[in-house]
Every structure is written in C-alpha cells, then in structure tokens.
Amino acid sequence: MTPSLTTPLVCAACRAQPVLTQPEFVFVLPGQSARLSCTLNPQYNISQFGISWYQQRPGHSLRYLLYYNSERDKHKPAKTPDRFSATKDLASNACILTIASACQDDNGTYYCSLSPAFKWL
C-alpha cells in the first residue's frame, strides 16, 4: 500500500470565526495605569460580544477577573480589586481592560475571551 497525501478540507464557516488579538507586552511602572486591549477581527463587531478577562500570575492558576459587555451587562466578583475595570472602544473594535494604580501583584499574563451574554443574579 503506497502512502497518499490528503489535503485538508476547507471550511468556509471556519474562516469566519471571531478572533481576538492582544499586544504581546505592556510595560507599566507601579502606580501608573495600564490599558490592555483585546481586539476583535474586523468581520465582527465588538458591540455584539461580551468579553471575559483572566489573569495568570507567575506560579498561580488562572483567575477570572471580570466580564464586560456594556455598562448594564457586566460582572466583577467581590475578590477582584476595584482598580480593575473594562470598557469597549468601538472605533478600534476592542475591549479594554484598565488597571488603575498598578502594583507588583498585577504582574502576570492577561487573557481575554469571547463570552456568551450572561444573566448575573
């Protein structure tokens, strides 16, 4: 039996999937505010999606920070400090996580993800 090469199936719908991109690095001195962007590919509109933000500090597990869709549709657990907040920048099709007065504990990797619209109790 001779080996055969197969070409992968091309899925037109797969190419249209929403994709989020984030900057590789954001450097902030203690006490400064940090703005982390999460930009959605142009085939989609950020206003139609909720975004969840997560933090992973060195040596710690992934931690949910907050969810933001709009000022009326957002969620932040009591454990998330008030210095963390989010908003959307419709002009750049992005969700922005702001860390006011950043401190050493904020050092880590931040992730954003598309989330379904939640109904928070």
Side-chain angles (χ1 to χ4, degrees):
M1 188 167 158
T2 57
S4 62
L5 297 174
T6 58
T7 56
L9 295 175
V10 177
C11 171
C14 299
R15 286 182 282 177
Q17 296 299 313
V19 176
L20 297 169
T21 56
Q22 295 178 255
E24 205 168 319
F25 293 100
V26 175
F27 181 78
V28 179
L29 293 172
Q32 291 182 332
S33 289
R35 284 176 48 92
L36 289 77
S37 63
C38 179
T39 305
L40 185 60
N41 57 324
Q43 295 93 329
Y44 291 88
N45 189 326
I46 195 72
S47 66
Q48 299 172 347
F49 293 93
I51 301 291
S52 291
W53 285 93
Y54 301 86
Q55 175 196 53
Q56 187 158 32
R57 294 172 47 207
H60 292 80
S61 59
L62 193 65
R63 171 185 167 205
Y64 165 71
L65 288 175
L66 57 85
Y67 164 83
Y68 185 87
N69 185 27
S70 68
E71 285 303 307
R72 293 190 318 174
D73 182 16
K74 60 184 179 179
H75 174 260
K76 182 165 63 172
K79 290 182 179 182
T80 300
D82 287 339
R83 65 181 182 276
F84 289 89
S85 63
T87 189
K88 288 184 179 176
D89 181 349
L90 300 180
S92 62
N93 206 34
C95 186
I96 310 296
L97 177 70
T98 300
I99 309 170
S101 299
C103 65
Q104 188 65 36
D105 283 346
D106 299 331
N107 184 38
T109 304
Y110 290 81
Y111 300 96
C112 61
S113 69
L114 287 176
S115 296
F118 293 113
K119 187 169 188 176
W120 301 102
L121 301 177

